[in-house]
Amino acid sequence: MAYLQVVLIVDDSRLIVERLIALLNEQHYVKEVLISHSYEDAIKLIDLNSDIDTFILDVKLPGKSGLDILQYLKAKDYEAKNIIVLTDAPSKELMERCLTLGAHHFLNKFSEFEKIPELIKNNSR
């Protein structure tokens, strides 16, 4: 049986966030979408919401990065079911680092963006 998911989007691009919200609002398996544009705001949301199922993290953020959020989640032993990292500058080294830090998926935000709903849907089973 599928369950409804809480998704946290962490991206400083308002355009990317708007596109993600539009994609996710169409999905029946998404209960709530939380938004953050910075590391600091993301940490506050993570600490206040222990029921986040899916994280969508941009690598490049103002100040600290999406990698810092991955390190925070790992240090807190946060049981995230699904962590999707988005980047506009993918490399094998960056992908390996993200996966080592606990990411489940590593996507190029320009060519693999449309995969996100399916990755979340597959996690809601």
Side-chain angles (χ1 to χ4, degrees), residues 7-72:
V7 178
L8 172 60
I9 300 169
V10 184
D11 199 308
D12 60 325
S13 166
R14 300 225 182 256
L15 179 62
I16 294 293
V17 170
E18 288 172 10
R19 284 184 62 204
L20 283 168
I21 290 170
L23 270 176
L24 297 176
N25 281 340
E26 297 173 0
Q27 312 309 318
H28 65 278
Y29 46 82
V30 175
K31 174 172 69 173
E32 183 179 8
V33 178
L34 305 171
I35 308 297
S36 172
H37 300 287
S38 70
Y39 170 88
E40 291 78 14
D41 289 341
I43 297 306
K44 288 176 191 170
L45 285 170
I46 292 165
D47 288 344
L48 290 172
N49 297 281
S50 62
D51 60 345
I52 299 170
D53 301 293
T54 296
F55 292 82
I56 302 174
L57 306 176
D58 185 16
V59 171
K60 295 179 188 173
L61 297 168
K64 293 188 174 190
S65 72
L67 296 175
D68 294 308
I69 295 171
L70 283 171
Q71 290 173 327
Y72 182 83

